Amino acid sequence: MSATDLARLAVESATAAGATSSDAVVIESDGVTVLVRDGQTERVEQECSRGLGIRAYRGTRLGLAYTNDLSEDAVRETAQRAAALAQVAAEDEAAGLPDAADVGTFDGDLDAMDASAGSWTADTWITRALRAEHAAREDERITMSEGARSGGGTSRLALASSSGFAAVREQSHAFTAMGVFATGEQGERQRDHYATQATHLEDLDRPEDVGREAARRAIRRCGYRKPRSGAFPVIFSPDVSRDLVATIAQAQAASRVDRRATFLADALGESVGSRHVTVVDDATLPRRMASRAFDGEGVRSRRTVLMDEGVVSSWLADSYTARRLGIAATGNASRSFANRPGVGPSNLVLEPGARGPDELLGDVEEGLYLTELFGMGVNLASGSWSRGGAGIWIEKGELTYPVQELTVAGDLRGILAGVSEVASDLTWHGRMATPTLRIDGLTIAAG
Amino acid sequence: MLFPYSREFPMQPHSLLHRIDGDLLGRVVAAALSRGGDYADVFLEERAESSLHMEDGAIRAASNGTVAGIGVRVLAGERTGYAFTEDCTPDALYRVARTAAAIADDVRDVAPVQVAARRPRDLYRTAVPLVGAAPSERVPFLERAPAAACAVDERIRKVNVSLNEEVKTVAVASSDGVLVEDVQPMISFRVMCIAEDGDLKTSGMSGDGARRGLELLDGDAPERIGRLAAEQAVRNLAAQPAPGGPQTVVLGNAYSGVLLHEAVGHGLEAYFNHKGFSRYSGQIGEQVASPLVTVVDDGTIENERGSINVDDEGNASGSTVLIENGILRGYLHDRLSARVMDVLPTGNGRRESYSSMPLPRMTNTFMPAGEHSAEEIIASVDRGVYAVQFGGGQVEIGKGDFVFAATEAYLIEDGRIGAPLRDVTLIGNGPEVMQRVTMVGSDYRISEGMWTCGKDGQSVPVGVGMPTVKISSITVGGTA
């Protein structure tokens, strides 16, 4: 039985068991990941994973069940369980399948599948990992390899619903990643890494470039100092901008708005960011990792401007949270087979500005070029934001010495309003595209 | 069929062993070694889960599910081949065994391996079994939490409650002849509150979890957890910006174990050490922390969230002294790291599921009690920060820098606890910060079971415990 037929079988079985409506997904993924270290293949992991999840409604009561046994008997039994569980939940007038007008598939060509994916083997990835590691070790300051990882595969989601929707979306994905340790002149050891990922093999950075970039990043950390504490302009590298844009998208998820768990809960239509901040969620871009013709409940994919020159212009919504908030679904239902559908971004783009990153740096008399953020110090409800960081100190418009063991803190409203410029260097990484940007008003603290 | 799914939910009885053909497993292990590997194991897992989710006092969704699969691992020297399947038939099993075997390249005939069942201890004594009761029996437990939370303060605006129950059966058969099974229950109850006052919104979170049954929610547990979440949210409404820069920090008991987990524990997971990646590599017997510091990882504490009877390689869990009075004593090992470093495994080979190979991981990590009262410790600080509850942490193993985020913290002024502080990140270098532990409290407590550790994309449940501890200086990421 095909994946779509199994999903249909689940829906039919749920109906037979008393569900008034239902939908089911079958999610499958196959792939290989390798780890190479010191020129040797250290790990080869073969993945082959399947699962079916069904949500069943009795009127507006929701029950969910799942299994990874895709035999017809197990699928029927799972659908019956979902139908039975629907008696437990409370009536909820927002619950139900998406509105018919929203259901469908985006009709452009997303080019999501690499035609060569069928012939990828462990050797495809071992070769790439070996090349990345070899290039990373060209520089003698790189004293140890943490290993090069590479891998790829395909994934498929089949969705069928009692309203008659049935479709499959497929995608290929591949990555190469390298981690290295550099030893500085004082003998101190620094680690850094770099990774590339794409739907198509030919869109990956060359393995040699991945290795050399990892090496460059580790080496530039050597000889670090602790920076001055205080309020300084901070230039976010594209990597760090990505962290901020992901936070904005989370704060604009309708599920959070509904739970009041975001500082933006009452800010729809309000100007909260500087005019430089325009963030777009777009599931319709060809060859991007989160592109898809429909979301996890069959809502047609689209482009949604989340923040328009600083104005909160839309939430990200699945059909349930859209009904709760009285807005339109945006095709942002994310779904795994074992979890209740939730709200999640697709591809996120922070629109670039006009000037190059060097020009932004050149304007800074003294400040921080931030290359790394870590830790979980983001509270989306209150908007407080306090993170660990690392980077390079800027003096008189020039990058000087590396800095570490520092914190960068502010609050998210201040941060969004404090974006004083966005650079032109839009950089894609996985499902996100971000440029360099400058924020004023952050506080840097160091020991 | 080797590993039939139970068609009913929940899968009863939970034991896999009575459904496994031991001879077949022995032949699969032999197939896994057929290309020259020197060790192989087969990991079988069957998991039943159920959950209830409540928002605004109403159950929004009830869900349950079953997941099962088999992973085969082959070691050839330090090389690992891994493959898994969810198709639990002998053919699929031989296929994944041959896939994993390909990490080695010396074809040979291997006789079937004899595996013999072994009984593990029982750390998970359970009164009311999980998974399988009618969900409607569980609903009243969830209903009690929002009422208690809202009674704390009228500014509590939203309360979400969830109850998750899991029973996971794992079995391991290895080329060493081991055949062992463990049935692992896990219950977890969580409450999340939002408080609002004008434009100000704050969150509070609380929970408990354990390897035990529904008796976790005996007495007033739902009310207590609801109140804790609400009190945290309400306190944060009055929170002030935290000071920035180096501060004396007093860490409250129990939850501050997050610090040990990040600053010490990860750096002592042996994979990082036999490779030389860790800041702690090659330092056994050396002073790596203040003499006041002892750190233990113990997977044998009855009913704790991080406890396991056996690890996911079939080794009995253990109690490992990592640091004793400031001296580094040992690492946490899985089979591979133990073999490479020529020591015994410590029972810390853990994996998220059949789809992942095991790694050395923590279980319950704690610092035993010292001699000062919490009051004495706080009174000793002129000006500093008292950090009580945490949202999690992260560490970079190579240099040892770590962060952890305090979600409940207070200013200390003149030896007294003062104003609450907004969420704040603390950053430091593990070995440096552990040298600056200047007082250790007598109020050791293990945290409520609500921690999950993520590493290499794999999540496993863990526990942390700590007495009140004073750190003479650590960088606080505040704005004031």
Side-chain angles (χ1 to χ4, degrees):
Chain A
M1 223 179 220
S2 74
T4 314
D5 287 342
L6 284 168
R8 278 206 192 92
L9 172 65
V11 166
E12 286 157 14
S13 308
T15 305
T20 51
S21 64
S22 65
D23 67 5
V25 286
V26 172
I27 295 173
E28 304 173 295
S29 61
D30 295 274
V32 180
T33 305
V34 305
L35 168 67
V36 159
R37 186 167 179 266
D38 294 342
Q40 297 288 318
T41 305
E42 192 171 296
R43 287 184 206 167
V44 176
E45 294 179 76
Q46 179 99 39
E47 179 201 13
C48 171
S49 186
R50 275 113 191 69
L52 173 140
I54 174 159
R55 59 175 180 175
Y57 297 93
R58 287 174 186 263
T60 61
R61 297 164 180 267
L62 170 62
L64 297 120
Y66 55 92
T67 180
N68 70 349
D69 179 356
L70 299 190
S71 67
E72 292 177 32
D73 284 351
V75 168
R76 281 192 199 95
E77 188 268 338
T78 302
Q80 287 158 6
R81 286 204 324 258
L85 283 166
Q87 292 166 313
V88 179
E91 294 282 353
D92 183 348
E93 45 183 55
L97 297 178
D99 298 338
D102 294 328
V103 172
T105 57
F106 173 75
D107 58 9
D109 179 12
L110 295 174
D111 191 12
M113 183 67 95
D114 187 322
S116 74
S119 59
W120 294 347
T121 66
D123 284 338
T124 310
W125 313 117
I126 290 169
T127 306
R128 285 184 172 256
L130 286 169
R131 285 167 56 193
E133 190 187 49
H134 186 78
R137 304 208 62 166
E138 283 166 357
D139 193 305
E140 62 188 18
R141 290 168 292 182
I142 298 300
T143 46
M144 192 161 50
S145 164
E146 190 184 57
R149 290 167 199 261
S150 190
T154 58
S155 59
R156 184 184 314 142
L157 180 149
L159 172 66
S161 83
S162 59
S163 61
F165 181 84
V168 180
R169 61 182 213 216
E170 286 183 292
Q171 186 194 53
S172 53
H173 51 88
F175 79 97
T176 308
M178 181 74 221
V180 292
F181 294 92
T183 303
E185 285 171 19
Q186 315 302 318
E188 107 260 23
R189 200 171 63 179
Q190 294 286 343
R191 177 198 174 273
D192 214 320
H193 71 288
Y194 181 71
T196 176
Q197 48 181 324
T199 55
H200 290 58
L201 216 48
E202 66 189 35
D203 292 347
L204 290 176
D205 294 349
R206 291 172 60 241
E208 287 76 11
D209 295 338
V210 172
R212 287 186 194 119
E213 180 60 16
R216 188 182 77 83
R217 291 177 175 211
I219 289 164
R220 79 176 173 187
R221 298 174 77 106
C222 292
Y224 79 97
R225 306 181 206 166
K226 290 185 182 173
R228 291 212 295 148
S229 294
F232 291 98
V234 180
I235 304 284
F236 282 34
S237 74
D239 289 336
V240 176
S241 301
R242 216 156 55 223
D243 183 290
L244 179 63
V245 172
T247 299
I248 295 171
Q250 269 184 291
Q252 293 191 222
S255 48
R256 278 195 174 270
V257 175
D258 184 34
R259 285 186 282 124
R260 308 286 302 168
T262 164
F263 70 103
L264 293 176
D266 300 312
L268 191 62
E270 191 186 317
S271 177
V272 297
S274 86
R275 65 187 169 82
H276 301 284
V277 185
T278 295
V279 177
V280 177
D281 177 89
D282 193 347
T284 68
L285 299 167
R287 286 199 179 202
R288 293 301 174 194
M289 295 198 73
S291 296
R292 60 212 179 194
F294 58 91
D295 76 354
E297 53 182 2
V299 171
R300 188 180 299 106
S301 288
R302 54 180 259 186
R303 176 177 187 272
T304 303
V305 179
L306 286 177
M307 191 170 285
D308 189 2
E309 298 188 351
V311 175
V312 176
S313 49
S314 177
W315 306 129
L316 290 176
D318 64 354
S319 64
Y320 175 72
T321 56
R323 281 190 210 108
R324 291 275 296 178
L325 300 177
I327 58 172
T330 57
N332 286 92
S334 63
R335 194 154 183 185
S336 66
F337 75 88
N339 293 304
R340 197 162 61 120
V343 175
S346 64
N347 302 296
L348 288 170
V349 180
L350 173 62
E351 296 292 344
R355 297 200 302 160
D358 290 347
E359 292 175 272
L360 269 64
L361 281 171
D363 289 348
V364 177
E365 186 56 30
E366 184 175 13
L368 172 65
Y369 179 62
L370 188 65
T371 58
E372 183 183 20
L373 276 176
F374 65 127
M376 303 169 196
V378 182
N379 186 321
L380 288 171
S382 68
S384 69
W385 191 92
S386 169
R387 314 288 299 282
I392 301 171
W393 200 247
I394 308 167
E395 283 173 4
K396 295 187 171 59
E398 302 278 342
L399 294 176
T400 58
Y401 48 86
V403 288
Q404 290 177 26
E405 287 181 56
L406 60 94
T407 58
V408 190
D411 79 279
L412 283 165
R413 274 185 181 264
I415 289 168
L416 291 174
V419 176
S420 50
E421 188 166 358
V422 174
S424 57
D425 57 337
L426 188 71
T427 307
W428 273 96
H429 183 90
R431 48 171 55 202
M432 296 181 70
T434 49
T436 300
L437 57 81
R438 170 175 169 157
I439 295 179
D440 290 278
L442 288 167
T443 304
I444 296 165
Chain B
M1 218 178 201
L2 166 77
F3 182 24
Y5 290 87
S6 318
R7 295 287 175 219
E8 276 129 57
F9 181 89
M11 295 170 287
Q12 290 282 6
H14 292 303
S15 174
L16 277 169
L17 281 189
H18 80 284
R19 286 178 274 149
I20 293 175
D21 175 350
D23 289 344
L24 174 58
L25 284 180
R27 287 196 298 277
V28 170
V29 170
L33 295 175
S34 64
R35 298 280 293 273
D38 43 49
Y39 169 84
D41 57 26
V42 181
F43 178 81
L44 307 94
E45 174 184 348
E46 198 171 59
R47 199 164 74 231
E49 300 158 322
S50 71
S51 70
L52 285 169
H53 183 72
M54 172 177 274
E55 285 174 32
D56 296 335
I59 298 290
R60 290 282 177 237
S63 109
N64 68 36
T66 59
V67 171
I70 298 174
V72 177
R73 174 174 65 150
V74 178
L75 300 182
E78 288 187 48
R79 311 169 76 186
T80 305
Y82 196 79
F84 69 89
T85 179
E86 291 152 359
D87 176 1
C88 302
T89 58
D91 281 352
L93 199 42
Y94 284 121
R95 195 165 59 240
V96 294
R98 284 192 296 269
T99 302
I103 191 74
D105 50 14
D106 172 24
V107 179
R108 62 186 185 184
D109 282 329
V110 180
V113 174
Q114 296 296 317
V115 292
R118 208 200 257 174
R119 270 194 78 78
R121 63 164 94 79
D122 181 14
L123 296 172
Y124 326 130
R125 271 183 286 169
T126 297
V128 185
L130 297 180
V131 179
S136 52
E137 289 176 23
R138 307 300 206 221
V139 173
F141 291 98
L142 281 84
E143 285 171 337
R144 287 159 51 196
C150 291
V152 166
D153 194 295
E154 61 190 11
R155 292 171 292 177
I156 294 295
R157 173 89 186 260
K158 286 275 178 181
V159 184
N160 286 347
V161 189
S162 65
L163 171 65
N164 290 286
E165 302 171 45
E166 172 186 294
V167 176
K168 178 161 110 172
T169 304
V170 301
V172 183
S174 82
S175 57
D176 294 349
V178 168
L179 177 59
V180 65
E181 174 180 59
D182 196 26
V183 182
Q184 303 171 338
M186 180 69 78
I187 177 170
S188 122
F189 187 83
R190 267 155 218 270
V191 179
M192 216 268 283
C193 289
I194 297 288
E196 294 194 38
D197 192 349
D199 281 345
L200 207 56
K201 269 184 276 302
T202 55
S203 56
M205 221 173 301
S206 187
D208 201 358
R211 292 204 187 276
R212 60 171 19 146
L214 194 69
E215 66 274 16
L216 179 79
L217 300 181
D218 278 356
D220 68 344
E223 285 86 356
R224 181 172 41 82
I225 294 165
R227 270 195 302 274
L228 281 171
E231 285 162 3
Q232 195 187 91
V234 169
R235 262 194 302 263
N236 282 338
L237 284 173
Q240 309 292 312
Q247 307 281 334
T248 299
V249 172
V250 175
L251 299 167
N253 69 352
Y255 312 117
S256 303
V258 172
L259 170 96
L260 298 180
H261 181 97
E262 302 298 349
V264 175
H266 277 300
L268 298 179
E269 290 169 336
Y271 176 81
F272 296 128
N273 287 283
H274 86 250
K275 297 295 181 189
F277 295 163
S278 169
R279 175 67 177 69
Y280 289 105
S281 296
Q283 296 189 50
I284 297 270
E286 292 179 22
Q287 186 91 35
V288 296
S290 145
L292 298 173
V293 172
T294 292
V295 181
V296 177
D297 185 86
D298 188 348
T300 71
I301 308 170
E302 206 160 280
N303 295 123
E304 280 305 327
R305 182 172 159 85
S307 295
I308 38 178
N309 288 324
V310 292
D311 71 4
D312 298 318
E313 304 180 292
N315 290 311
S317 60
S319 176
T320 306
V321 176
L322 299 173
I323 294 176
E324 184 180 20
N325 302 327
I327 311 286
L328 183 61
R329 291 296 181 206
Y331 300 130
L332 297 174
H333 287 284
D334 64 357
R335 175 179 294 275
L336 179 60
S337 70
R339 193 166 68 162
V340 172
M341 296 180 87
D342 199 20
V343 295
L344 292 171
T346 56
N348 291 84
R350 304 185 65 190
R351 46 182 140 197
E352 179 178 283
S353 76
Y354 59 85
S355 65
S356 311
M357 52 186 265
L359 297 169
R361 302 293 294 266
M362 283 173 264
T363 57
N364 305 297
T365 311
F366 64 88
M367 180 187 291
E371 52 192 30
H372 294 281
S373 72
E375 293 72 25
E376 277 178 282
I377 295 174
I378 290 163
S380 75
V381 178
D382 283 340
R383 190 180 161 78
V385 170
Y386 178 46
V388 176
Q389 180 58 281
F390 303 89
Q394 191 179 335
V395 63
E396 189 283 299
I397 300 297
K399 182 163 161 284
D401 289 355
F402 70 96
V403 291
F404 61 127
T407 53
E408 182 182 341
Y410 303 84
L411 207 58
I412 304 177
E413 286 175 303
D414 301 326
R416 277 194 296 274
I417 297 173
L421 300 173
R422 298 190 73 177
D423 291 34
V424 67
T425 281
L426 286 75
I427 187 167
N429 178 268
E432 285 173 23
V433 168
M434 297 315 288
Q435 294 285 5
R436 296 195 203 120
V437 172
T438 52
M439 290 174 97
V440 176
S442 54
D443 57 345
Y444 168 80
R445 189 166 75 82
I446 194 156
S447 162
E448 283 84 355
M450 52 188 178
W451 301 100
T452 296
C453 171
K455 173 173 150 185
D456 260 13
Q458 294 192 46
S459 293
V460 298
V462 296
V464 299
M466 188 99 161
T468 297
V469 161
K470 176 175 163 184
I471 292 174
S472 58
S473 175
I474 185 169
T475 300
V476 175
T479 55

